[in-house]
Amino acid sequence: MRPKLKVLFLCTGNSCRSQMAEGFARHLLNKCIEPYSAGVLKHVVDPFAIKVMQEEGIDISNHFSKTIDELKNKKFDYIITLCDHAKETCPYFPGKTIHYSFPDPPSLSAQTQNIEESLTIYRDVRDRIKLFVLSLPNILLKEEP
């Protein structure tokens, strides 16, 4: 049996997208991936992200935001940037980097009229992240020698 791949999900504030990705990877791929998440900056984990993940049966309420500097001594097999800002500002880490950009739910929902409209945006991004995380074994196995 091969060892778990250490995967870092990176976005701007480690408050939403990377937290969702870590939650899905931990819940759905725990036999093959050891997931981590971090941000270029540190923010509070988004309450709407916590809520929409709970709808999927995944509790990320105990997650906390970390900066990439806090994980600089970890060795990752893959760094997966989840937004363009993280891709542009990510410092060098040994390991392979994959980029996939997801919309930022807090930015998209800033102009919504009510909480339900905001949650719809968060759910859409959550569902996209879930599909991406589910595809990771195939993506990462193609990358491995």
Side-chain angles (χ1 to χ4, degrees):
M1 184 176 197
R2 46 186 319 165
K4 290 182 183 183
L5 294 172
K6 287 187 180 173
V7 175
L8 173 63
F9 295 101
L10 182 66
C11 67
T12 301
N14 192 220
S15 65
C16 189
R17 293 166 287 187
S18 55
Q19 294 288 351
M20 286 193 243
E22 178 186 359
F24 276 126
R26 191 169 305 288
H27 186 75
L28 301 171
L29 303 175
N30 65 349
K31 291 184 178 167
C32 61
I33 290 178
E34 184 179 328
Y36 297 82
S37 67
V40 177
L41 306 169
K42 190 182 221 179
H43 294 290
V44 174
V45 178
D46 189 307
F48 285 166
I50 292 169
K51 180 171 179 43
V52 299
M53 290 299 286
Q54 285 174 335
E55 294 171 356
E56 289 286 308
I58 300 171
D59 183 8
I60 63 169
S61 64
N62 62 345
H63 285 201
F64 59 95
S65 182
K66 301 163 287 308
T67 65
I68 197 166
D69 288 337
E70 293 175 62
L71 299 175
K72 66 184 173 193
N73 294 325
K74 287 242 182 249
K75 183 183 182 312
F76 295 102
D77 297 298
Y78 290 92
I79 292 85
I80 301 176
T81 54
L82 301 176
C83 68
D84 294 335
H85 181 254
K87 179 184 178 192
E88 293 163 8
T89 57
C90 179
Y92 172 76
F93 267 91
K96 298 173 184 159
T97 302
I98 295 171
H99 176 67
Y100 196 94
S101 190
F102 291 96
D104 182 38
S107 297
L108 291 175
S109 67
Q111 302 302 315
T112 59
Q113 301 300 311
N114 57 55
I115 290 174
E116 193 54 43
E117 284 181 36
S118 294
L119 287 172
T120 298
I121 291 168
Y122 277 78
R123 288 178 185 119
D124 177 61
V125 174
R126 174 203 64 199
D127 294 347
R128 292 182 196 190
I129 291 171
K130 181 180 183 180
L131 289 174
F132 175 71
V133 167
L134 285 170
S135 73
L136 281 178
N138 290 331
I139 293 169
L140 301 182
L141 289 175
K142 286 181 187 176
E143 296 280 329
E144 290 295 301

